Amino acid sequence: MGAAQSQLKKEELEKLQQHSHFSGKELKAMYKQFRKETPQGVISKEEFREVMRQMGVVDSFLQDLVFNVFDDDKDGSINFQEFVAALSVMTRGEPKEKLELAFNMYDLDGNGFIDKKEMSQIMESFFKLVGPLITFSGKRYDSATQLVEEFFDVMDKNGDGRITLEEYKEGALKNPDIIQGLKLFS
């Protein structure tokens, strides 16, 4: 996609419609706004971080965590296709799609597992941002460690200290707090 392209090509539009939960009309409007905000056609990591800071997320680790969800090809920038793909799942995806996205976000080293170190790093940053956590069902977590330990007790079915995508999906779909959380973005 060239920097001067002001409209989506028909083939690109059709492909995005097939692989997202957005209509052609929505995609055209999103593209127009995306190009208005990013005339160069991509969002750099620093631009993304600035938007996150404006939203109150100042922790660079959390900023990078979310950025990496969007930057699918890991080239350090987010193009329109990547933007649409992540936004589609986050806002309109089926629960299993959202869980896969979350799992991939939590699997920091990309090895196909979430380990306690990865989850602890994420939860420590999250707790710095929001403080103690109270779930939808009213359960309170005063520390990241408390949450991570319970998370692994419930999710790590074979007790190997690592959670696979299947363990994550199976455990998450049985957890009413996670299911309610998935609905927040729908």
Side-chain angles (χ1 to χ4, degrees):
M1 200 179 338
Q5 187 174 331
S6 61
Q7 290 186 28
L8 274 174
K9 292 179 183 172
K10 183 179 179 187
E11 307 82 43
E12 291 172 332
L13 179 62
E14 288 171 359
K15 186 177 178 183
L16 287 170
Q17 278 181 269
Q18 289 174 353
H19 295 98
S20 77
H21 299 283
F22 297 115
S23 70
K25 185 177 180 180
E26 290 171 315
L27 288 163
K28 287 177 185 177
M30 289 169 66
Y31 184 74
K32 184 177 180 179
Q33 187 64 34
F34 186 88
R35 293 303 301 212
K36 180 180 175 189
E37 298 293 329
T38 59
Q40 70 280 15
V42 295
I43 302 168
S44 71
K45 188 176 233 179
E46 193 47 50
E47 289 167 328
F48 189 87
R49 283 180 166 176
E50 181 55 33
V51 170
M52 294 289 290
R53 282 190 288 274
Q54 290 172 10
M55 294 170 54
V57 180
V58 296
D59 184 291
S60 62
F61 174 76
L62 288 178
Q63 292 168 354
D64 289 349
L65 194 65
V66 177
F67 179 85
N68 290 335
V69 168
F70 282 85
D71 183 20
D72 191 50
D73 64 7
K74 307 301 179 219
D75 69 352
S77 64
I78 301 167
N79 64 33
F80 183 68
Q81 289 80 359
E82 291 171 316
F83 180 77
V84 166
L87 196 62
S88 174
V89 172
M90 292 172 88
T91 62
R92 298 187 179 174
E94 297 296 320
K96 287 187 178 187
E97 288 178 293
K98 291 179 180 184
L99 291 172
E100 286 178 20
L101 185 112
F103 180 88
N104 291 329
M105 182 169 55
Y106 300 152
D107 179 15
L108 299 176
D109 61 10
N111 69 351
F113 300 97
I114 302 170
D115 62 36
K116 283 187 179 181
K117 181 181 175 192
E118 289 169 322
M119 188 55 73
S120 294
Q121 190 176 359
I122 293 164
M123 290 298 118
E124 289 292 341
S125 288
F126 184 72
F127 269 74
K128 286 180 197 171
L129 179 68
V130 299
L133 176 67
I134 300 176
T135 67
F136 294 105
S137 63
K139 182 157 175 96
R140 180 182 172 96
Y141 295 94
D142 292 312
S143 72
T145 303
Q146 179 188 9
L147 182 93
V148 170
E149 289 302 323
E150 184 172 312
F151 181 84
F152 272 80
D153 286 347
V154 171
M155 300 274 188
D156 185 15
K157 292 294 181 196
N158 63 3
D160 66 355
R162 306 182 314 175
I163 297 171
T164 65
L165 175 60
E166 288 311 310
E167 285 175 317
Y168 181 74
K169 286 196 289 192
E170 183 182 319
L173 289 172
K174 292 178 183 173
N175 183 316
D177 288 319
I178 293 175
I179 295 300
Q180 187 64 34
L182 293 175
K183 292 178 184 175
L184 285 178
F185 296 104
S186 296

